[in-house]
Amino acid sequence: MIEDLILKLKQEIIDQLQLEGMTPEEMDPEAPLFGEEGLGLDSIDVLELVVLLDKNYGIKIRGPKEGPKIFYSIKTIAEYILNQQKN
Amino acid sequence: MELLITRHVKFQDRRVWLNGIVEHVSEAGSADKLFRSVYRYYDIDYPKFFKMDNLCKLAFLSAEGLLRGTDILQEYPGGEVAIILENASSSLEYDQKHVESIRDQNRYFPSPSVFVYTIPNIMVAEIAIRHKVKGENAVFIFEQFDPGLIYDYVSELFRNQQVSCCLSGWVECYGDHYQSLLFIIEQEDKIKRCKGLQEYVIFDTANMEKLFKGKSL
């Protein structure tokens, strides 16, 4: 199930963040989203991810302290979504 | 102190001119397709380009066309380079896009990446980030290109020794209507090199008007 969600998330992130030329296959779900090692996203992108979770999954990120853990990688986002949906 | 326009680039009618010579013609009709075509032609690797609104894409590409293959900005401290621009539509296209995203209270999802482009000055920021420019910057909104304002403002910056180099001009984009004229202004006595451009243009309102209208100097 998490694999399906990761695949869906990849496409949503590509669309929402306008990652031109990027394909879901190229995205390592465990790679960090921020910094030079990963996708190199910036502070505006993290706000877009917050909106994406709200718009597509009805999940609101309340505390700024949660952000770095939730948005570390695509996999951590998927795990957070599944965890929130369980609760 | 004589001020000179040492390079100029223009985007209009599917064409890109560098120093008055057509450098690139695109088959693409829409603004977005033209900008992508020029991006490929310039062989740029800058993924953030694709996240920009069309106004910023045009400003970014105009600066790219103006500066690529030169080391002009390396000759000046970043804090002594200014960017002074004008346009007519401000950031209207993304202002409207933002309004659309917040119109429905039941689907109220303003996009941060849209909102960030709801000020025209962001086009200056995109150029400044790319080329490490840290000097004075401003964007003025006029119905039409106003070379008089640019002349007065930029001349004053040089007179007060606030800048040693300035990127200035007109960057207008709304829908598929786009037009840019961007030029570099330098002081005659400080120009140390001349790469491929034999004749500089005196920085005055008449010459800016001629460049804008595409008339020969």
Side-chain angles (χ1 to χ4, degrees), chain A residues 17-18 20 45 47-48 55, chain B residues 36 50-51 109 111-113:
Chain A
L17 273 49
Q18 301 178 66
E20 181 84 8
D45 293 323
L47 294 175
E48 283 292 344
K55 188 163 68 174
Chain B
R36 284 167 185 265
F50 296 103
K51 299 181 183 184
F109 294 111
S111 162
S113 62

Side-chain angles (χ1 to χ4, degrees), chain B residues 44-177:
Chain B
I44 306 166
D45 181 18
Y46 197 74
K48 192 171 186 297
F49 172 82
F50 296 103
K51 299 181 183 184
M52 297 177 194
D53 70 336
N54 276 348
L55 177 67
C56 287
K57 282 178 180 165
L58 177 58
F60 177 90
L61 291 172
S62 301
E64 209 68 22
L66 199 60
L67 297 167
R68 73 194 193 107
T70 80
D71 54 4
I72 293 173
L73 291 191
Q74 281 71 52
E75 294 176 10
Y76 298 102
E80 293 181 17
V81 180
I83 304 175
I84 309 298
L85 301 178
E86 293 180 346
N87 82 358
S89 299
S90 185
S91 54
L92 186 59
E93 193 166 336
Y94 262 49
D95 295 350
Q96 291 172 325
K97 201 169 174 177
H98 175 64
V99 168
E100 282 305 313
S101 75
I102 59 173
R103 190 184 295 279
D104 183 351
Q105 288 300 310
N106 297 318
R107 293 284 299 166
Y108 188 90
F109 294 111
S111 162
S113 62
V114 169
F115 185 72
V116 78
Y117 290 109
T118 58
I119 54 167
N121 306 58
I122 198 78
M123 65 176 161
V124 169
E126 296 290 10
I127 296 172
I129 291 167
R130 169 73 164 168
H131 299 286
K132 300 179 174 59
V133 172
K134 298 170 186 168
E136 171 97 4
N137 69 78
V139 177
F140 296 96
I141 314 300
F142 291 107
E143 286 187 12
Q144 296 177 327
F145 178 54
D146 184 342
L149 182 282
I150 287 180
Y151 181 79
D152 291 343
Y153 198 99
V154 172
S155 297
E156 193 62 23
L157 290 177
F158 276 95
R159 207 164 17 246
N160 291 338
Q161 299 183 329
Q162 287 178 271
V163 302
S164 305
C165 175
C166 182
L167 272 64
S168 189
W170 175 263
V171 182
E172 162 68 7
C173 189
Y174 181 73
D176 284 330
H177 169 73

